[in-house]
Structures are given as C-alpha cells and as structure tokens.
Amino acid sequence: MKNLNSFLKSIPHLTVDLGERSYPIIINEGFERFVELYQHLALQKRVFVVTNETVAPLYLDSLLEQLSQLNCDYNVCILPDGEAYKSFEQYQRITTELIQSHHKRNSSIVALGGGVVGDITGFAAATFQRGAQFIQIPTTLLSQVDSSVGGKTAINHPLGKNLIGAFYQPKFVYINAKTLHSLPKREFNAGMAEVIKYGMIHDSEFFEWIENHISSLHALESQALSHVILRSCDAKAKIVAEDELERNRRAILNLGHTFGHAIEAICEYKDLVHGEAVALGMVMATAFAAEHQLCDKALVERLERLLQAFQLPTRLASLRQYTDKPINAKLMIQAMLRDKKNTSERIKLILPVSLGKVKITEQFESQQITNFLCEFGLSQ
C-alpha cells in the first residue's frame, strides 16, 4: 500500500472513497503508467479485454503492449459499436467467450471503450462466476466523466434503458485524455452534456467556468480537458461516496435522464447518442421546473445557450435531424413510468431549483407531465 500511495502521488488522480472497496481514478496522457498501477494493485495476470470495432483499431494494440509487459495471458472480445448492442445478446457473447477461454473469477475483465463497452463489460464482470475483477479504461468524454465512475453496470431492455444491471465497482479507472483527440466531434459534444450536468446539479462555479472556456474545449486544449475531467470525476466520486447504491442523493446525477432515457427507448437506442438525449432531457426538466415555479425561467435560457454552444439538441424540433421515429406524449409517459428510479406509481423527477442545486421529487401526477410535454411540442 505504501508503494501504491507513492505512485499515486506522482500522477493526477482521485479516489472513490468506499472503504475497503475504494479505488483510484488515474488521469494521464498516455497508457505508459498503466503497467505501474497494475503492478502496485497486484492484479491477476489472466486478462479478458472487451472493446468495440471503433476503438480496437485505435487503442487495442497500445493496451495489449502494456499487458505483454506485465506478462499477462489475455483474450480479446470485439463488439459492434453502438447503444443498440448494449444488449442481452452481446452480454451472452461476452460470458460465453469468458467460459470458452477458461477464465475464472480471479481473472481481470477490462473495458476499453466508451459508455456502452463499460456498462456491458461491468455487468458481465459483476455476474461472471458471481463477480470477477473489473477495470475501466474509458475512451470517450462521456465515459471518462460519468459512466466509468461509480460502479453502475447494465444492459438495455427493449422496454427501457439500463433496466438489467448491478452496482459493481471497478478495481481502478484509467483515463488517457489523449483518446479524446480521436473522438468524433459529435461524440465529444455529447460528452459535454454530462459535463454541463455537473454544473447544474452540484457546482455553479464549474458551470460558469465552462461558459468561459467554450473555445478552449472545442480546441481540445490539454489544460481545459484535464480540468473538465478532474472536476467532473471529483463531483461524481463525492456523490457516489455519499450514496453508492442510489438510495437518495446519488439520484441527482440523473438530471435530464428521465426524459432522455424515454426518448432513447422510443428511438430503440438508435439515431441519437446518449449525451444528446440527456441534453434535451435537461432542458425539458429545467423548463418543467420553471413552469412550476421551482426555478427561474432565465436558467432555462442559460442552459440552452451553453448546450447549443456544443451543438446539442435543446428543442424537440431538433430531433428531426437525428430520427424519424414518432415521439408523442403517451409514449414518453409510458417509457418514463418504467424508469428504474421510480419507487412508486409516480414518475421520479430530478428538477433544478437554482444553478448548482436540484431536488428529487415524485410530487407531480402523470397528467401534469403529459400537459407539459404537449406544451413543449409533443402531440398527445
């Protein structure tokens, strides 16, 4: 542990404080410190890597080189790319290949990719032989600032997003910020939706910082990217440490997700990427809060301006550029009622009160939400 602490002092990092299950989040520009961290944690030399068809040509060889330096015996599973493949079929494929390759629960299962790869790999690790070692190497902005941290793992069901899953923490999260330079602009912008979310729910000063550094972020300036990753991960790590299993406070991380997940389900997890749905969902949640005098209408306009600076959708009309799926209020309510955050027959909403502060509520009837959806532009 002494050597591990010395290593951590030499590199930017955060710790998710969960007692005996605490783990580090390493933030670096390259994979070269991966070997040291792996050795300090004394993890297993049998490794199973899950990635996808987009990430594999870019970063798989670099990771395998690190594993070779560790004298690891490894296997690789390359999935198709896309939210539609966060499915039971691909989960079954991962577990089948684990079994066929003779892996055991003491193997290390590594997720190399974005949020889809991290979620499905984590769920496979959580359930394979009742739990194998799990490592996150997120390669997209969205996964680096959100989905790789906190231990939420899942696959989608046709009736709803992330309805089948488990809380299962990784041994560590290794973030190589240089992977953002190969990220398509649309994916980077989608990740910014989750970054902006932290300002909305937790940190008004961070929201203002983003407003003042839009051009630096678009230019992928190293210092700006590192600041965004550190600040976002720090916010999430603190919230997870307070409420690991989302009994209460952790639900604030879902600002915009109740509306956004419903849109994704209706679109069959195609067309929109997750961050785009979250962006629109945050505007809808904030507009709903303003309509019910929970927050100022000026906050809606301010949020829209910042999201639009990253070419993110903020109005239902903008969905037409992504999908031709019919989305109406009835379908939205049906999907929202299936949301996993709900603990009663009412829809649980996370609603802004002011910049940097939100509330969790089930006080609104479905009809009130339906009325809002119609006012926002959906047909009945």
Side-chain angles (χ1 to χ4, degrees):
M1 183 59 70
K2 182 179 179 181
N3 289 337
L4 174 61
N5 290 335
S6 297
F7 168 76
L8 292 176
K9 288 179 182 178
S10 72
I11 192 168
H13 76 283
L14 297 163
T15 299
V16 181
D17 187 3
L18 296 170
E20 292 182 356
R21 291 175 297 104
S22 296
Y23 57 91
I25 305 167
I26 302 299
I27 302 166
N28 197 30
E29 291 196 341
F31 287 115
E32 66 276 0
R33 307 299 297 273
F34 179 88
V35 169
E36 296 172 77
L37 179 60
Y38 203 94
Q39 289 173 327
H40 284 306
L41 290 171
L43 300 180
Q44 294 294 324
K45 297 298 182 72
R46 282 282 284 143
V47 179
F48 188 86
V49 179
V50 182
T51 186
N52 68 29
E53 295 169 344
T54 300
V55 174
L58 297 171
Y59 302 114
L60 181 58
D61 285 348
S62 296
L63 175 60
L64 297 184
E65 182 181 338
Q66 304 300 307
L67 295 177
S68 295
Q69 290 182 37
L70 289 162
N71 296 315
C72 288
D73 177 17
Y74 57 78
N75 300 97
V76 178
C77 176
I78 301 176
L79 304 177
D81 188 10
E83 185 77 29
Y85 299 103
K86 199 168 83 174
S87 62
F88 178 79
E89 289 74 20
Q90 296 302 320
Y91 161 79
Q92 188 174 37
R93 176 185 166 190
I94 294 169
T95 53
T96 297
E97 292 190 20
L98 279 163
I99 295 166
Q100 291 175 339
S101 302
H102 306 291
H103 283 273
K104 306 297 180 186
R105 70 174 63 179
N106 59 358
S107 293
S108 290
I109 301 178
V110 179
L112 174 68
V116 170
V117 169
D119 281 6
I120 193 171
T121 305
F123 184 55
T127 52
F128 178 67
Q129 297 193 359
R130 298 190 176 94
Q133 294 178 355
F134 174 42
I135 295 165
Q136 284 269 25
I137 307 179
T139 60
T140 65
L141 180 61
L142 190 148
S143 59
Q144 289 174 359
V145 302
D146 185 62
S147 61
S148 67
V149 179
K152 277 189 175 181
T153 73
I155 56 176
N156 296 332
H157 189 280
L159 294 178
K161 187 179 174 77
N162 296 334
L163 291 182
I164 304 167
F167 287 96
Y168 194 68
Q169 303 295 343
K171 292 296 182 181
F172 66 86
V173 179
Y174 190 98
I175 295 173
N176 174 4
K178 282 189 175 179
T179 62
L180 300 182
H181 289 270
S182 63
L183 200 62
K185 190 64 176 175
R186 182 182 178 189
E187 292 286 346
F188 177 82
N189 289 339
M192 283 303 303
E194 294 284 3
V195 172
I196 292 165
K197 177 195 73 179
Y198 290 112
M200 287 289 292
I201 67 172
H202 179 74
D203 191 343
S204 60
E205 289 183 5
F206 185 40
F207 190 97
E208 293 168 5
W209 184 93
I210 300 166
E211 290 178 315
N212 294 324
H213 291 81
I214 292 169
S215 59
S216 299
L217 291 166
H218 278 304
L220 302 181
E221 292 180 7
S222 178
Q223 190 172 357
L225 292 178
S226 295
H227 183 79
V228 155
I229 295 168
L230 270 167
R231 197 95 171 235
S232 299
C233 288
D234 183 56
K236 183 157 189 183
K238 287 175 179 175
I239 293 168
V240 169
E242 290 178 38
D243 180 21
E244 180 185 2
L245 301 182
E246 200 173 293
R247 306 298 189 198
N248 186 23
R249 177 163 167 73
R250 182 170 175 168
I252 71 173
L253 292 165
N254 291 297
L255 173 66
H257 289 60
T258 307
F259 291 102
H261 283 176
I263 293 169
E264 287 184 278
I266 294 168
C267 292
E268 299 174 348
Y269 311 112
K270 301 173 184 175
D271 306 327
L272 273 82
V273 295
H274 176 64
E276 290 165 346
V278 168
L280 180 55
M282 282 197 291
V283 173
M284 295 172 79
T286 309
F288 183 85
E291 181 177 289
H292 291 276
Q293 290 80 51
L294 295 177
C295 72
D296 196 292
K297 289 184 179 180
L299 182 57
V300 185
E301 297 167 2
R302 189 174 177 184
L303 173 61
E304 283 194 86
R305 280 196 302 271
L306 187 53
L307 292 170
Q308 288 167 359
F310 293 96
Q311 292 82 54
L312 289 163
T314 60
R315 289 285 152 182
L316 289 168
S318 58
L319 286 180
R320 294 183 190 130
Q321 67 180 297
Y322 302 105
T323 182
D324 58 1
K325 298 284 192 311
I327 302 175
N328 59 45
K330 181 179 179 181
L331 290 174
M332 283 287 293
I333 292 296
Q334 288 174 347
M336 292 169 76
L337 283 168
R338 290 192 291 266
D339 190 280
K340 63 186 182 302
K341 294 185 298 299
N342 299 335
T343 54
S344 68
E345 294 305 311
R346 291 194 174 190
I347 295 169
K348 182 175 287 187
L349 295 173
I350 292 82
L351 301 176
V353 176
S354 60
L355 185 60
K357 184 178 180 181
V358 294
K359 68 177 291 186
I360 304 165
T361 181
E362 292 178 304
Q363 73 185 73
F364 295 100
E365 301 279 356
S366 294
Q367 189 58 52
Q368 291 174 284
I369 302 172
T370 298
N371 294 342
F372 164 77
L373 291 171
C374 294
E375 292 166 8
F376 199 77
L378 286 178
S379 63
Q380 188 74 36

